[in-house]
Amino acid sequence: MRVFSGIQATGEKHIGNYIGAMRNYAATQDEGDADFCIVDLHSITVDYDPQDLHDRTLDLAALLYAVGLEPDRCTLFLQSHVSGHAEAAWLLSAVTGFGQLGRMTQFKEKGEGKEFVSAGLFTYPVLMAGDILLYQTDIVPVGDDQRQHIELARDLAERFNSRYGELFKVPRGVFPEIGARIMDLQEPTNKMSTTGGTQQGTVLVLDPPDVIRRKFKTAVTDSGREVRYLPDEKPGVSNLIEIFSVATSMPIADVEAAYDGRGYGDLKGDVGEAVVELFRPVQEKYAELRPDEGELRRRLHVGAEKARETSAPTLEAMYRRMGFVRP
Ligand code: TYM
């Protein structure tokens, strides 16, 4: 079985990224051949700073190793190191409907109210479909906000297969049962995000322990004081329960039972503490790995070579099926 997932290079990584995606990369790397991609080409679709892109890319590589990706158990690489991704995006644009891209909610959200909206933001889901399809991927571990993009990738695979002959495997998104959509702690009806959310409501994987504790202590909760998991009625408390459940491996019903009659204050304090403990080993490992840029670059170089090898036959077959004369 082949596993593939991607994560943006820019933006500081938060507990939503960790719970919705990163920890599941680490968990799936032994389920089959796993490829994970830092999607640096995607990062230029919104306003960004070149130096920031450069530094954050290396930060993220160190962080992914720190959460448990192991160079000999999976392939971690930078999207821009494997030129086939940009090529696949162009080829797949032939089977992508303009109207289909216009319906992508992330495009609408990220473009809304902006003075300048790049063409790349619009075509981004085609690049993402190529990322996945080039690796003949079976499963894609992602958070809930990627559902529509995965649907598009499946659709493009099917359209390509029926127009040019069976080539792509049709991938399946895998979403965590708990924590597929972690909400902003200050605005619990909005998804946690470094671009769209509040700073105080976004818990970063690399936040110092005191900052993590404070962000949870000041989390917005709901009316009433019962600790119950009711995402529609009690979005704030339900979000804290999900985070606590993941951080402690305690089932949601047990969390509810443990806080029966105790109110929100206790829960907030305990979630903060549990998250500090959850991130402690990640932060320690990150501090060890990040300074050695030479080693990070060496690992990424090896990763890119492996990724090129895996994806090249599919890219070549795409060109041939589509009628290109090959060198
Ligand atoms: P990105 O970089 O925005 O997010 C990376 C991963 O984190 C998940 N995530 C969340 N999960 C739970 N709660 C949240 N609040 C939350 N915020 C983010 C995302 O679902 C994602 O799994 N388009 C993708 C990157 C991409 C990709 C791919 C993913 C490019 N090519 C191929 C899979 C396969 C993105 O922007 O993710």
Side-chain angles (χ1 to χ4, degrees):
M1 189 175 66
R2 293 209 77 95
V3 181
F4 183 96
S5 201
I7 182 165
Q8 297 248 10
T10 44
E12 290 178 289
K13 299 307 147 194
H14 52 74
I15 192 167
N17 297 125
Y18 179 83
I19 292 180
M22 292 160 84
R23 76 189 173 107
N24 306 314
Y25 305 164
T28 48
Q29 66 187 333
D30 288 329
E31 282 181 25
D33 293 310
D35 298 285
F36 299 109
C37 181
I38 296 178
V39 294
D40 49 2
L41 295 174
H42 284 268
S43 300
I44 64 168
T45 57
V46 289
D47 206 13
Y48 82 102
D49 173 58
Q51 185 64 46
D52 184 63
L53 171 61
H54 180 271
D55 297 345
R56 294 286 180 212
T57 301
L58 292 168
D59 291 349
L60 180 55
L63 189 62
L64 288 167
Y65 291 125
V67 302
L69 295 196
E70 306 224 359
D72 48 358
R73 285 157 69 208
C74 70
T75 303
L76 176 66
F77 67 101
L78 304 184
Q79 190 182 32
S80 63
H81 286 187
V82 182
S83 56
H85 287 248
E87 294 172 68
W90 180 251
L91 298 182
L92 285 172
S93 69
V95 289
T96 311
F98 183 84
Q100 228 174 349
L101 290 182
R103 287 192 291 277
M104 293 290 129
T105 49
Q106 283 223 335
F107 170 69
K108 291 186 204 156
E109 281 166 17
K110 288 193 177 175
E112 208 172 34
K114 294 272 177 354
E115 200 178 308
F116 176 81
V117 177
S118 76
L121 189 65
F122 187 69
T123 54
Y124 169 120
V126 189
L127 180 60
M128 172 161 164
D131 297 340
I132 300 168
L133 299 181
L134 272 180
Y135 293 82
Q136 299 292 352
T137 301
D138 296 283
I139 63 163
V140 190
V142 277
D144 192 58
D145 60 353
Q146 299 300 318
R147 270 179 204 276
Q148 207 185 13
H149 291 158
I150 304 281
E151 260 329 294
L152 181 81
R154 291 168 56 86
D155 210 55
L156 299 192
E158 279 166 0
R159 197 170 300 139
F160 187 101
N161 286 348
S162 74
R163 192 174 295 177
Y164 300 106
E166 207 61 33
L167 171 62
F168 295 124
K169 221 174 238 175
V170 181
R172 188 166 58 83
V174 174
F175 308 90
E177 259 173 54
I178 304 175
R181 193 175 187 82
I182 297 295
M183 306 309 250
D184 188 291
L185 300 187
Q186 291 295 315
E187 294 173 353
T189 48
N190 291 332
K191 182 185 76 171
M192 188 181 287
S193 149
T194 42
T195 44
T198 68
Q199 208 183 352
Q200 181 71 5
T202 303
V203 177
L204 304 179
V205 180
L206 296 175
D207 267 342
D210 278 349
V211 174
I212 295 178
R213 289 188 188 101
R214 194 167 354 106
K215 285 181 178 173
F216 280 104
K217 277 258 183 259
T218 56
V220 167
T221 36
D222 320 285
S223 56
R225 53 188 312 276
E226 261 177 281
V227 175
R228 294 284 306 283
Y229 184 70
L230 299 167
D232 292 332
E233 279 168 53
K234 291 172 168 268
V237 167
S238 301
N239 191 40
L240 294 179
I241 293 177
E242 286 202 27
I243 295 173
F244 191 62
S245 166
V246 169
T248 58
S249 308
M250 225 165 128
I252 284 182
D254 293 3
V255 179
E256 287 178 318
Y259 288 87
D260 192 23
R262 285 171 60 196
Y264 299 155
D266 281 1
L267 177 66
K268 287 188 203 177
D270 292 352
V271 185
E273 221 43 66
V275 171
V276 166
E277 288 315 315
L278 179 69
F279 288 161
R280 189 188 302 282
V282 175
Q283 296 187 352
E284 283 171 4
K285 192 98 190 110
Y286 175 84
E288 238 173 73
L289 293 167
R290 181 60 183 92
D292 194 348
E293 280 199 18
E295 173 61 13
L296 289 174
R297 285 171 188 274
R298 191 195 63 76
R299 289 184 184 188
L300 292 170
H301 178 79
V302 173
E305 276 184 343
K306 285 206 277 177
R308 242 177 260 127
E309 220 170 87
T310 310
S311 58
T314 298
L315 182 67
E316 184 59 29
M318 287 174 79
Y319 276 118
R320 288 181 186 271
R321 294 283 177 84
M322 293 178 83
F324 290 94
V325 175
R326 300 302 290 159

